[in-house]
Amino acid sequence: MTDTAGSNVYSPYLPQRGHESEPRPGAPAGALARKPSRLAFGRLPRGGILFGPVLLILVWEFASAIGWLSPKFLAAPSTALVTGYDLLVSGTLAEHFLASAKRAYLGLGIGVAIGLALALAAGLSRIGEASIDGLVQIKRAVPTLALIPLAILWLGIGEVMKIALIASSVMVPIYINTHAALRGIDLRHVELARSVGITRSEFLREVASPGALPGFFTGLRLAVTTCWTALVVLEQINTSEGIGYLMNRARDYGQTDIIVVGLAIYAALGLGSDLAVRFWERRALGYRKALNS
Amino acid sequence: MNALAQPLNLPPERAGTEVRLRGVTRSFSGRTVLRDVTLDFAPGEFVALIGKSGSGKSTLLRAIAGLDDGVDGSGTIAVPDDRSVLFQDSRLLPWKTVLRNVVFGFRAPDAEARGRRAIADVGLAGREDAWPNALSGGEQQRVALARSLVRQPRLLLADEPFGALDALTRIRMHGLLFDLIRQRRPTVLLVTHDVDEAIKLADRVLVMDDGRIVLDRHVGLPHPRPKSDARFEALRTSLLAALGVSDDV
Ligand SMILES: Nc1ncnc2c1ncn2[C@@H]1O[C@H](COP(=O)(O)OP(=O)(O)OP(=O)(O)O)[C@@H](O)[C@H]1O
Ligand SMILES: [Mg+2]
C-alpha cells in the first residue's frame, strides 16, 4: 500500500505498517464475527418460554411429595392429572367443557360482531362517532361485574344473561382497537386513493379495512382472553354445567384436585385461543413480515 | 437501454391548452404560500418546476391535482380528469402485492395484462406477487412509476419522484419516463430540486420563489442534451441565478 501519512507521522486513523501483518489477538484476520447485538436480548430458543411453567410444576410437585403442601390446601399436579384423566374418561369433563366453550365462543362471536359494527360506524362517519364513541368509553369504564345485578333483573339468571355479558365485555376491546386503527389510517393512503379515483365502497374494502386490520387483531387477542375471564365469574351464578360450576362444587367438597383441573383448562383455553388468533394474524398480516427498511 | 441516448421522434404537440391556471392563491392559516399563479400548459408539454424548499412547489402541484380541498385560496384551475400523480414517496399499499398496487383503481378491461407489462417496463418482471415491504426503496419507486405508466394519463403530475434515488437508478427512471412520453405524449409537470434534471428532460422550466413563478424558460435544445453543451451551461446559470445560487460554489 502507499504511504499516505508519511512514515514519521502516527495517525490512529491510518493503518500503521508494523501492525498490518500481525493478527490481533483473538481475532482471526479477515473474519468478522457476527456477534448478537448487546442492545437487544437474543431470541429464546424454541420452547424456551416453557421453562418457567415447567419449573413451577416441578417445585410444586416436589413440595407436595414431601408434604409441605397439604392436598386440602392445594392438590399435587400429578393428583390433578389423574383426576383430570378420570373426569375425561367418564365424560363429565367433556360435558362441562362444551357448556363453557359454547357460552364463551357464542359471547365472543356476538361481541366481536357488535364491536366491529360499532367501530366501523364510528370510524367512518361523524354522526356515528358522535353517538357511539362516548357511550362505549363509558361502558369501558364500568366493570362487567358491576353490570351483573342489572343484567339479572333484565335477562334473568339463565344462559341469555351470561352470553350477553360476555358479549358486552368482548365488544369493548374490539371496538377500541378497531376504531383507533380506523381513525389513525394513513392520510397518504387516503390521498392516493383519491388520486386514483376509487369509489367509497372500494375505499372501505381496499384501504380502510386492511388498514384497520392490525388494530382489529390486537382487539381480538384481548377479546379471546376477556371472554374466558368473564365466563369464570358468570359460571358461579345459577348453573349446573360448565367448568366454573365444576370448580365451585369442588370447593364445597374441598376437592382441590378438581379445582386445579379447572384452572388448567382455563389456562389451556386462554393460551390456545391466543395462539389461534396469533396464527391467523400472522397469515392475514403476512405482508408486514417482509419489512425491508 | 437509455432512452435519452437517442434523439426523440415525438408526435407534434396538440394545439390548445391542457392545463389552465388563473390567479391561483393558496394560504395556510393566514400565511400565503401561492401568490396569484397564472399558467398555461400546452398539450404534451413537459414542464419542470424548480424552486427552493418551502417555495410552494408541492402546494402548486397538489392544487393542480385537485388534492387540496380544505385549503384556503382563490383562483381557477382547469385540468383534464385523466391525470395521474406520482408522489415523492412511493405510497404503495403494503397489504397489496406489486401487481395489485399497480392496477389499484385502474378500470380497463385488460388492466391486469397491462399492469404486468408496466411492471416489466420498469424492470420488475417476476416481482408481481411480491409485497412492497420486500422491495428496496428504488424498486418501490419503480412500482409507483409503473402505477402511473399503466394509466397512460393525459396529465402526469410528479412531485420529486426521483428524489430518493441513487444516481444510477435515477438515470434509468429518466429513461422510463421518456418512454412513457414517447408512447402517449402526456402533459407533464415534474417538480424537482435538480436543475440539471430539469434542463435534461423538460421542454420548459419554471422557477418558483416564495409562491410566485419568477422565471419561465423554454429549453429549446435537441435531445440528447449533454451537460457540456454551452447552451445547457448558459441555461443552468440563469436558472441558478433565479434561484439565488451561483454556479461556482
Ligand atoms: N398542510 C399544510 N399546513 C400548513 N402549512 C403548509 C402545509 N403544506 C405546506 N405548508 C407550508 O407551505 C409552504 C410551501 O410548502 P410546499 O410543500 O409547497 O413547499 P415545496 O416547495 O414543495 O418545498 P420542498 O422542496 O421542501 O418540498 C411551506 O412553508 C410549508 O410549511
Ligand atoms: Mg415539496
Side-chain angles (χ1 to χ4, degrees):
Chain A
M1 76 173 285
T2 51
D3 194 352
T4 43
S7 51
N8 55 351
V9 179
Y10 175 80
S11 161
Y13 306 110
L14 289 169
Q16 297 297 302
R17 270 190 177 171
H19 290 270
E20 292 256 301
S21 52
E22 295 164 16
R24 277 164 294 153
L32 189 63
R34 298 194 55 186
K35 275 193 262 168
S37 156
R38 274 156 202 267
L39 293 179
F41 292 119
R43 283 186 72 89
L44 278 178
R46 251 183 108 79
I49 178 179
L50 291 176
F51 178 74
V54 169
L55 188 70
L56 174 73
I57 288 175
L58 286 180
V59 171
W60 175 5
E61 180 69 42
F62 178 73
S64 304
I66 62 170
W68 282 356
L69 269 180
S70 108
K72 279 214 157 75
F73 187 73
L74 187 62
S78 52
T79 319
L81 207 64
V82 173
T83 308
Y85 181 76
D86 291 343
L87 286 171
L88 195 66
V89 171
S90 69
T92 324
L93 199 59
E95 177 196 326
H96 291 289
F97 171 78
L98 283 179
S100 287
K102 199 176 120 198
R103 285 177 193 129
Y105 290 126
L106 216 60
L108 180 69
I110 296 170
V112 167
I114 295 175
L116 209 51
L118 291 180
L120 285 174
L124 300 169
S125 82
R126 276 149 153 280
I127 301 181
E129 178 155 46
S131 39
I132 294 168
D133 198 51
L135 288 178
V136 181
Q137 300 294 343
I138 293 171
K139 161 72 184 69
R140 179 165 82 132
V142 179
T144 302
L145 301 188
L147 292 176
I148 292 179
L150 258 191
I152 290 179
L153 282 179
W154 290 352
L155 301 171
I157 50 175
E159 291 300 294
V160 176
M161 177 274 291
K162 296 190 179 73
I163 290 167
L165 279 179
I166 292 172
S168 91
S169 64
V170 158
M171 170 210 100
V172 174
I174 295 283
Y175 171 87
I176 302 276
N177 289 284
T178 312
H179 178 240
L182 276 173
R183 283 276 115 182
I185 195 160
D186 193 333
L187 287 177
R188 294 170 314 159
H189 291 158
V190 178
E191 201 175 65
L192 170 74
R194 284 186 54 199
S195 84
V196 301
I198 57 171
T199 64
R200 192 163 164 78
S201 78
E202 277 174 320
F203 175 75
L204 271 184
R205 232 182 16 250
E206 301 191 29
V207 182
S209 307
L213 204 58
F216 168 72
F217 273 113
T218 308
L220 192 58
R221 281 186 64 186
L222 291 168
V224 290
T225 27
T226 304
C227 75
W228 286 100
T229 314
L231 190 73
V232 178
V233 178
L234 293 169
E235 287 194 334
Q236 326 249 340
I237 303 165
N238 177 57
T239 175
S240 57
E241 46 175 17
I243 305 293
Y245 162 74
L246 206 64
M247 289 166 71
N248 270 323
R249 200 183 53 181
R251 182 201 59 208
D252 293 340
Y253 298 114
Q255 298 163 315
T256 55
D257 52 342
I258 294 185
I259 295 180
V260 171
V261 171
L263 287 175
I265 289 174
Y266 277 136
L269 281 168
L271 285 175
S273 309
D274 189 56
L275 225 61
V277 174
R278 271 159 67 176
F279 176 74
W280 183 24
E281 182 181 18
R282 254 203 305 282
R283 294 200 45 181
L285 303 180
Y287 64 83
R288 299 204 296 187
K289 195 178 51 191
L291 251 197
N292 184 295
S293 43
Chain B
M1 197 183 60
N2 186 352
L4 290 179
Q6 305 134 25
L8 287 172
N9 281 321
L10 297 175
E13 289 184 5
R14 296 184 291 270
T17 304
E18 189 83 326
V19 175
R20 174 192 291 267
L21 282 79
R22 289 292 174 270
V24 173
T25 297
R26 293 287 184 271
S27 57
F28 294 105
S29 41
R31 203 163 65 83
T32 308
V33 171
L34 289 186
R35 301 168 194 273
D36 193 25
V37 175
T38 291
L39 278 174
D40 286 310
F41 298 166
E45 195 171 32
F46 190 137
V47 182
L49 175 62
I50 59 179
K52 284 189 211 120
S53 177
S55 56
K57 306 182 296 292
S58 296
T59 308
L60 180 62
L61 182 129
R62 296 165 56 79
I64 297 174
L67 291 174
D68 69 341
D69 46 47
V71 178
D72 294 339
S74 58
T76 57
I77 299 174
V79 284
D81 284 335
D82 179 12
R83 56 180 183 256
S84 165
V85 184
L86 199 46
F87 296 95
Q88 176 158 17
D89 55 321
S90 53
R91 229 169 265 214
L92 304 176
L93 299 172
W95 49 81
K96 284 180 176 290
T97 61
V98 165
L99 178 61
R100 291 290 135 220
N101 264 289
V102 167
V103 300
F104 178 49
F106 180 45
R107 274 172 253 277
D110 54 346
E112 189 158 326
R114 284 166 66 178
R116 288 180 188 281
R117 221 173 307 138
I119 290 167
D121 284 346
V122 297
L124 288 174
R127 308 297 297 276
E128 289 84 358
D129 297 323
W131 297 118
N133 279 341
L135 302 181
S136 76
E139 288 169 338
Q140 292 178 9
Q141 280 287 3
R142 271 142 65 188
V143 177
L145 184 60
R147 182 174 58 201
S148 281
L149 288 174
V150 79
R151 277 150 238 263
Q152 301 198 325
R154 262 176 75 176
L155 173 62
L156 177 65
L157 300 164
D159 193 351
E160 299 194 35
F162 311 131
L165 299 180
D166 64 279
L168 265 166
T169 315
R170 235 175 139 116
I171 291 171
R172 286 196 55 193
M173 301 273 278
H174 289 167
L176 292 169
L177 200 62
F178 250 69
D179 285 341
L180 163 76
I181 291 163
R182 196 186 300 184
Q183 280 162 25
R184 218 186 135 190
R185 193 92 214 211
T187 308
V188 181
L189 175 63
L190 173 72
V191 173
T192 173
H193 52 239
D194 183 338
V195 176
D196 288 350
E197 184 173 283
I199 303 176
K200 210 161 185 174
L201 297 172
D203 303 322
R204 179 180 168 197
V205 183
L206 305 173
V207 179
M208 183 160 233
D209 187 34
D210 194 21
R212 280 196 187 84
I213 304 292
V214 293
L215 192 71
D216 183 347
R217 291 281 296 271
H218 283 267
V219 177
L221 295 178
H223 288 281
R225 297 168 175 168
K227 282 187 200 175
S228 51
D229 190 325
R231 292 169 295 177
F232 193 115
E233 285 275 357
L235 185 55
R236 181 215 260 137
T237 308
S238 55
L239 291 175
L240 287 173
L243 288 166
V245 193
S246 83
D247 198 7
D248 43 34
V249 186

